[in-house]
């Protein structure tokens, strides 16, 4: 059974496609989009944890979004 890592990211209404495509290019799969506590959109994403090297994939780097 695969292990997953998860991340949440805010979505800017005018740039949702670029944001999601950038995360997708790094192997993240969209799980759902919900309304955040302040009214904006929040995306929940997941990807399999790579275990071939024995350590999980780092999720500290955020993909850059070009406007």
């Amino acid at each position: 059974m695969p292990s997953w890592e998860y991340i949440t990211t805010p979505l800017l209404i005018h740039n949702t496609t670029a944001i999601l495509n950038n995360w997708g290019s790094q192997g993240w799969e969209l799980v759902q989009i919900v309304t955040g506590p302040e009214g904006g959109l929040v995306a929940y994403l997941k990807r399999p944890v790579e275990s071939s090297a024995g350590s999980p994939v780092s999720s500290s780097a955020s993909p850059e979004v070009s406007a």
Side-chain angles (χ1 to χ4, degrees):
M1 176 176 261
S3 294
W4 300 94
E5 64 177 329
Y6 300 89
I7 194 163
T8 59
T9 187
L11 293 177
L12 304 174
I13 297 296
H14 67 278
N15 211 13
T16 55
T17 301
I19 293 168
L20 293 173
N21 282 337
N22 281 324
W23 284 106
S25 70
Q26 293 187 14
W28 291 96
E29 178 182 343
L30 179 64
V31 176
Q32 85 178 36
I33 298 174
V34 298
T35 303
E38 297 178 12
L41 297 177
V42 177
Y44 286 76
L45 303 110
K46 71 176 184 177
R47 70 177 173 188
V49 174
E50 292 181 13
S51 59
S52 60
S55 62
V57 175
S58 171
S59 62
S60 61
S62 296
E64 285 190 25
V65 177
S66 56

